[in-house]
């Protein structure tokens, strides 16, 4: 009997992956790893330092001398960039607009995948991202590809932003999400793609609890 498994949750922007992955990890007592936050952290550093975002070499070199750390806390996962808490800063519009360009670089993806594999080694994890089931944890015992209509995803992001005092109009969010999906799906290295052995979960009509329960039921199957 397996005692702990690896769960990979992939899917497009704002599909509810991180909210649901956090719940699943909490219920199973597993570590939750938000890989999008890691790409956002290096993007923030590149923006702050004014480094050419289009340069695979420069961004790769920047990442080599960067420390990204994820820490659980009572208020959710905290993200540290070279020791500074950047949990809020990585959610800015500027970072969101630039992160797909940065995460398309091969130099960045190779280092990130290695780091993510190390974080997952030898323990129960729920990892969310775009390429977890296809590249980072290809042997994960449970792979879920989570999606929802772009309209519903924009509505969810709008509601979430409202709570944080961000007032981007709904149509703008919808356009931003669609543009990011396109870039993430069309990049050459490790694009957003459903793994062949992943289970597709459409959350358009599901509540957060229902989606988490579906994944927990699948996890129980794998664990028994
Ligand atoms: O999940 P998120 O919206 O925070 O992710 C931000 C961006 O990071 C996303 O648009 C693409 C990139 N990303 C990636 O390329 N691979 C991952 N495993 C996770 C995120």
């Amino acid at each position: 009997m397996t005692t702990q498994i690896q769960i990979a949750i992939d899917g497009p922007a704002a599909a509810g992956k991180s909210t649901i992955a956090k719940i699943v990890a909490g219920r199973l007592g597993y570590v939750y790893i938000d890989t999008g936050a890691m790409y956002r952290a290096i993007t923030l550093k590149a923006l702050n330092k004014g480094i050419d975002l289009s340069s695979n070499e420069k961004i790769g070199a920047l990442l080599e001398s960067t420390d990204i750390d994820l820490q659980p806390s009572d208020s959710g996962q905290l993200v540290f960039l070279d020791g500074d808490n950047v949990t809020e800063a990585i959610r800015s519009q500027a970072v969101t607009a630039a992160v797909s360009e940065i995460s398309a670089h091969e130099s960045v993806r190779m280092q990130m995948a290695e780091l993510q594999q190390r974080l997952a080694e030898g323990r129960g994890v729920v990892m969310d991202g775009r390429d977890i089931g296809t590249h980072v944890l290809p042997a994960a015992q449970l792979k879920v590809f989570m999606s929802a209509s772009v309209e519903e995803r924009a509505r969810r992001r709008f509601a979430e932003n409202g709570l944080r005092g961000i007032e981007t109009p709904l149509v703008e969010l919808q356009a931003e999400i669609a543009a990011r999906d396109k870039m993430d799906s069309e990049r050459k290295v490790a694009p957003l793609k459903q793994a062949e052995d992943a289970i597709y979960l459409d959350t358009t009509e599901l509540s957060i609890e229902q989606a988490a329960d579906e994944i927990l039921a699948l996890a129980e199957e794998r664990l028994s």
Side-chain angles (χ1 to χ4, degrees), residues 8-217:
I9 301 182
D10 290 302
K17 299 185 299 293
S18 63
T19 308
I20 291 158
K22 250 179 260 172
I23 295 173
V24 171
R27 298 248 186 98
L28 293 171
Y30 285 11
V31 174
Y32 163 60
I33 301 167
D34 175 357
T35 62
M38 300 167 78
Y39 287 97
R40 286 173 179 272
I42 187 63
T43 302
L44 177 66
K45 184 166 177 179
L47 287 171
N48 286 346
K49 288 195 166 289
I51 291 174
D52 177 4
L53 303 186
S54 70
S55 167
N56 177 55
E57 242 170 54
K58 287 185 187 152
I59 303 288
L62 181 71
L63 184 54
E64 270 170 36
S65 59
T66 297
D67 181 45
I68 296 172
D69 193 21
L70 304 176
Q71 295 279 346
S73 83
D74 289 343
S75 56
Q77 184 177 259
L78 301 178
V79 184
F80 292 89
L81 174 64
D82 297 324
D84 294 332
N85 184 343
V86 295
T87 312
E88 280 299 314
I90 58 167
R91 303 288 157 194
S92 72
Q93 262 316 111
V95 170
T96 302
V99 66
S100 285
E101 181 171 9
I102 295 270
S103 58
H105 294 313
E106 185 165 18
S107 62
V108 172
R109 301 211 71 81
M110 282 173 60
Q111 292 184 63
M112 285 294 191
E114 255 185 56
L115 178 56
Q116 290 155 7
Q117 284 160 355
R118 274 208 306 277
L119 290 172
E121 227 164 49
R123 53 182 176 175
V125 289
V126 183
M127 191 177 276
D128 86 50
R130 303 292 189 287
D131 62 336
I132 310 307
T134 50
H135 286 87
V136 179
L137 303 177
Q141 290 87 346
L142 175 58
K143 299 179 184 177
V144 176
F145 192 87
M146 190 183 289
S147 195
S149 70
V150 70
E151 293 81 9
E152 176 60 19
R153 289 188 279 131
R155 272 195 295 275
R156 289 177 189 169
R157 184 51 53 88
F158 186 76
E160 193 184 306
N161 279 355
L163 296 175
R164 291 164 48 220
I166 301 170
E167 291 174 4
T168 315
L170 191 61
V171 281
E172 239 175 76
L173 285 178
Q174 199 169 314
E176 177 263 306
I177 286 171
R180 209 141 58 89
D181 287 351
K182 186 168 155 56
M183 275 188 82
D184 294 343
S185 309
E186 292 180 354
R187 68 172 174 238
K188 286 202 187 74
V189 192
L192 166 66
K193 189 170 169 260
Q194 181 173 349
E196 275 180 18
D197 51 351
I199 290 163
Y200 183 80
L201 184 64
D202 186 337
T203 68
T204 310
E205 306 284 336
L206 298 182
S207 68
I208 289 169
E209 278 304 316
Q210 285 171 326
D213 284 347
E214 291 242 2
I215 297 178
L216 281 162

